[in-house]
């Protein structure tokens, strides 16, 4: 039964979203690394006392959809009556995390003696002590090769770092000063969010806030059920592929709409592998939430209530529901993109007037470092054309939502420079509406370093829809000082020397609709 009016719920929703947005601003403004401060590789959200998402900022989809798992992991480990003044940390993909670079801090929020909710933020740390700088070694087969594992633990007590957390975490990384700065930003963001949430609850009244929070979740559920009801009943399936050492590994989904509920079944997807493209179930759940919002109504409140009508079926031990102790670094950043593409390919059969052609389908991860620095970048590409509109060029798409590191910032922080940075003209697919173009980005190295690449859509192309053409696949080239050129595989770790150059050509988006020009 609805106890709150829709206007009141909308006001509360925007107030809570504003708290999460402010948390993100604090985190970005007080962090040290360009990866968080300028690329904005971080997210923030608010949760109920039981761990259900109540509000989020418009940050990074793969972070936000999986963050409830972090709160639930903390609740499972420490119980539902946490002490005030404590913050918990987790990055373990098999206990509430996604991959080791993404460290989540969660904090209980009290008004008086009442636990009124949790605030949390997740930030990508550029190095957490993996076998290669940046902590995404291409040849990793086990989680421990990707860095320091933080299972849910106490990280902060009364504003001070717990030695059991901070000392081993900082001791593992190649960049301790930067890590301390970013962690301080995360701590401060949660403190700011907690203060804002306390004020909001106090002004509303604890009992009334709890009632309205429940109604806000129920409202999100009703909106999602109504949106699913607008889709035709039935089952459809779609298969797309991950690239691994020259092979194509299938991700298959069957999507069933039955009235006001939707089920996505990935049981036929390939087994997990001895490599790092395995994704944990929380990542796959993020992709499901994202894809359904694209195909239905993105204005639905992004709460845990909107997730209730969605059923996710996976097979433990597959690359979309990995089991320990396998590596997972690229599962979060690359397999997530393909899971989203696979879901959208299926949903396009149910909502052809809403689903775009495939976007670049990769984050084009570039990691550069040595014992003194660690740089991380995801390079944008082409957006798939949409029904009625061309795709955008040079933009992050799908499960990520970051910016680029400005060229001037790279020159200030790292021993290399950007010598080419422009759109990859003609890489978008043709059609009635054209796919967006990818990017050409070249780095010139001034020091010895290790480069790791994690990319996709090098062997397969972003597909067009409704008769539109595919976008161009991506390419990666290493150009040595003697002028020799080597095309690199989509996932690799290589040494570079002063004067070497790395050229990344990102994929274009697929076209939508038939065109006389093809």
């Amino acid at each position: 039964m609805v106890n709150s009016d829709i206007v009141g719920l909308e006001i509360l929703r925007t107030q809570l979203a504003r708290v999460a947005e402010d948390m993100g601003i604090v985190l970005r403004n007080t962090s040290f690394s360009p990866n968080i401060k300028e690329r904005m590789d971080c997210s923030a959200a608010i949760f109920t006392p039981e761990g259900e998402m109540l509000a989020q900022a418009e940050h990074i989809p793969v972070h936000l959809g999986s963050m409830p798992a972090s709160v639930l992991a903390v609740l499972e480990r420490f119980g539902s009556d946490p002490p005030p003044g404590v913050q918990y940390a987790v990055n373990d993909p098999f206990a509430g995390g996604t991959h080791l670079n993404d460290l989540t801090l969660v904090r209980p929020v009290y008004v008086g003696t009442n636990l009124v909710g949790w605030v949390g933020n997740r930030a990508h740390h550029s190095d957490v002590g993996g076998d290669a700088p940046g902590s995404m070694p291409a040849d990793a087969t086990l989680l421990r090769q990707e860095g320091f594992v933080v299972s849910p633990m106490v990280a902060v007590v009364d504003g001070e770092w717990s030695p059991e957390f901070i000392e081993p975490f900082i001791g593992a990384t190649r960049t301790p000063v930067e890590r301390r700065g970013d962690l301080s930003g995360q701590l401060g963001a949660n403190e700011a969010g907690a203060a804002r949430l306390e004020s909001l609850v106090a002004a509303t009244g604890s009992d009334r806030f709890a009632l309205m929070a429940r109604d806000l979740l129920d409202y999100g559920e009703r909106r999602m059920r109504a949106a699913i009801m607008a889709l035709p009943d039935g089952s459809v399936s779609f298969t797309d592929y991950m690239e691994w050492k020259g092979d194509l590994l299938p991700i298959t989904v069957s999507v069933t709409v039955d009235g006001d509920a939707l089920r996505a079944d990935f049981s036929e997807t390939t087994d997990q592998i001895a490599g790092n493209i395995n994704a944990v179930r929380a990542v796959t759940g993020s992709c499901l939430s994202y894809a359904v919002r694209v195909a239905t109504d993105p204005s639905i409140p992004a709460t845990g209530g909107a997730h209730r009508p969605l059923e996710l079926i996976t097979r433990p031990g597959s690359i979309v529901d990995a089991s320990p102790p396998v590596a997972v670094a690229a599962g979060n950043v690359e397999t997530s993109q393909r899971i989203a593409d696979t879901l959208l390919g299926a949903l396009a059969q149910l909502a052809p007037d809403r689903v775009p052609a495939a976007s670049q389908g990769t984050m084009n991860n570039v990691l550069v470092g040595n014992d003194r620095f660690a740089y991380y970048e995801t390079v944008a590409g082409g957006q798939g054309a949409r029904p009625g509109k061309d795709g955008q060029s040079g933009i992050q798409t799908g499960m990520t939502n970051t910016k680029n590191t400005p060229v001037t910032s790279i020159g200030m922080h790292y021993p290399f420079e950007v010598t080419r940075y422009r759109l990859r003209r003609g890489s978008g697919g043709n059609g009635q509406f054209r796919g967006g173009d990818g990017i050409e980005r070249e780095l010139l190295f001034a020091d010895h370093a290790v480069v790791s690449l994690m990319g996709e859509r090098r062997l397969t192309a972003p597909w067009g829809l409704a008769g539109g053409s595919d976008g161009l696949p991506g390419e990666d080239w290493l150009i040595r000082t003697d002028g020799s050129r080597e095309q690199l595989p989509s996932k690799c770790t290589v040494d570079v020397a002063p004067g070497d150059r790395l050229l990344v050509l990102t994929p274009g988006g697929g076209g939508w609709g038939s065109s006389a020009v093809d």
Side-chain angles (χ1 to χ4, degrees):
M1 180 175 178
V2 180
N3 295 291
S4 307
D5 65 275
I6 297 301
V7 173
L9 289 178
E10 184 62 19
I11 292 172
L12 178 63
R13 184 191 68 80
T14 56
Q15 288 175 319
L16 290 169
R18 183 68 252 181
V19 173
E21 290 284 357
D22 287 348
M23 290 171 64
I25 292 170
V26 171
L27 175 51
R28 295 193 299 267
N29 286 349
T30 59
S31 292
F32 277 26
S33 70
N35 188 58
I36 298 173
K37 184 177 292 292
E38 294 174 315
R39 287 193 63 247
M40 303 184 183
D41 198 346
C42 57
S43 298
I46 301 169
F47 307 87
T48 67
E50 298 76 27
E52 200 166 9
M53 183 181 283
L54 190 56
Q56 65 178 50
E58 294 295 333
H59 289 152
I60 299 176
V62 77
H63 284 180
L64 294 162
S66 56
M67 279 179 68
S70 297
V71 183
L72 293 175
V74 168
L75 286 168
E76 182 177 345
R77 177 72 59 87
F78 295 99
S80 58
D81 187 25
V86 68
Q87 294 201 33
Y88 301 96
V90 59
N91 74 354
D92 185 347
F94 302 108
T98 51
H99 71 169
L100 297 182
N101 296 87
D102 286 342
L103 183 84
T104 304
L105 281 186
V106 296
R107 182 196 191 280
V109 181
Y110 283 86
V111 172
T113 59
N114 294 326
L115 177 65
V116 298
W118 296 76
V119 293
N121 69 78
R122 176 171 290 174
H124 182 111
H125 287 260
S126 298
D127 187 88
V128 290
D131 285 357
S135 302
M136 290 189 195
D139 57 354
T141 59
L142 299 172
L143 181 66
R144 58 178 172 78
Q145 296 172 291
E146 297 179 326
F148 186 75
V149 181
V150 181
S151 293
M153 67 182 301
V154 174
V156 179
V157 179
D158 295 330
E160 299 294 331
W161 292 109
S162 164
E164 289 78 13
F165 164 71
I166 193 71
E167 292 176 5
F169 185 80
I170 294 298
T173 182
R174 296 168 176 84
T175 52
V177 173
E178 189 174 82
R179 297 287 67 73
R180 282 187 181 275
D182 288 349
L183 285 171
S184 294
Q186 289 191 263
L187 186 156
N190 274 357
E191 291 298 323
R196 289 286 307 277
L197 183 58
E198 289 168 9
S199 296
L200 176 59
V201 175
T204 307
S206 294
D207 291 343
R208 176 161 175 73
F209 178 84
L211 176 66
M212 293 185 70
R214 187 197 69 189
D215 288 349
L216 181 59
L217 293 171
D218 291 344
Y219 173 59
E221 179 180 359
R222 293 196 308 276
R223 288 281 305 275
M224 179 58 78
R225 291 194 184 281
I228 294 172
M229 280 285 290
L231 300 174
D233 281 356
S235 295
V236 294
S237 61
F238 194 83
T239 298
D240 212 329
Y241 299 88
M242 290 294 293
E243 303 167 3
W244 184 253
K245 296 184 177 180
D247 293 331
L248 298 179
L249 307 180
I251 295 178
T252 298
V253 67
S254 174
V255 173
T256 300
V257 174
D258 183 6
D260 63 356
L262 184 147
R263 181 175 69 251
D265 187 344
F266 286 89
S267 299
E268 299 303 314
T269 292
T270 193
D271 291 342
Q272 66 186 41
I273 66 166
N276 66 2
I277 63 170
N278 307 293
V280 296
R281 180 181 166 91
V283 167
T284 303
S286 295
C287 301
L288 176 59
S289 298
Y290 164 80
V292 172
R293 285 173 64 83
V294 169
T296 55
D297 181 359
S299 71
I300 295 171
T303 68
H307 299 170
R308 294 172 183 169
L310 309 180
E311 180 184 3
L312 175 63
I313 299 174
T314 57
R315 180 170 49 82
S318 66
I319 63 169
V320 299
D321 186 359
S323 300
V326 296
V328 297
N332 181 63
V333 294
E334 290 300 304
T335 310
S336 65
Q337 296 283 61
R338 192 62 64 255
I339 296 169
D341 283 347
T342 305
L343 284 161
L344 289 170
L347 290 166
Q349 301 169 56
L350 299 170
D353 59 336
R354 289 202 54 84
V355 177
S359 296
Q360 66 164 341
T362 175
M363 298 188 196
N364 303 296
N365 304 268
V366 179
L367 303 99
V368 185
N370 54 32
D371 291 338
R372 298 180 301 281
F373 77 97
Y375 157 87
Y376 176 62
E377 184 91 58
T378 58
V379 187
Q383 180 189 46
R386 296 153 283 176
K389 188 173 290 187
D390 292 343
Q392 299 179 79
S393 297
I395 189 172
Q396 297 285 6
T397 57
M399 300 308 294
T400 188
N401 186 31
T402 55
K403 296 182 180 294
N404 71 308
T405 306
V407 172
T408 51
S409 177
I410 288 175
M412 292 170 58
H413 290 91
Y414 305 110
F416 55 86
E417 60 178 306
V418 178
T419 53
R420 184 192 310 185
Y421 191 32
R422 64 193 183 197
L423 291 178
R424 187 187 178 197
R425 298 293 185 186
S427 55
N430 289 321
Q432 182 182 2
F433 301 100
R434 183 178 175 79
D437 288 331
I439 279 177
E440 301 178 12
R441 188 173 176 93
E442 184 181 72
L443 307 181
L444 172 63
F445 301 105
D447 197 357
H448 291 276
V450 177
V451 172
S452 293
L453 299 180
M454 292 291 145
E456 276 284 322
R457 294 297 193 202
R458 268 57 179 172
L459 301 178
T460 64
W463 33 264
L465 268 183
S469 300
D470 295 346
L472 287 183
E475 300 176 12
D476 304 286
W477 294 88
L478 181 59
I479 306 166
R480 298 292 189 182
T481 54
D482 62 4
S484 61
R485 298 167 59 94
E486 176 188 0
Q487 187 166 4
L488 299 173
S490 60
K491 301 164 189 70
C492 62
T493 297
V494 297
D495 294 327
V496 295
D500 290 345
R501 289 175 289 155
L502 175 70
L503 175 61
V504 177
L505 308 176
T506 68
W512 194 95
S514 299
S515 172
V517 180
D518 225 356

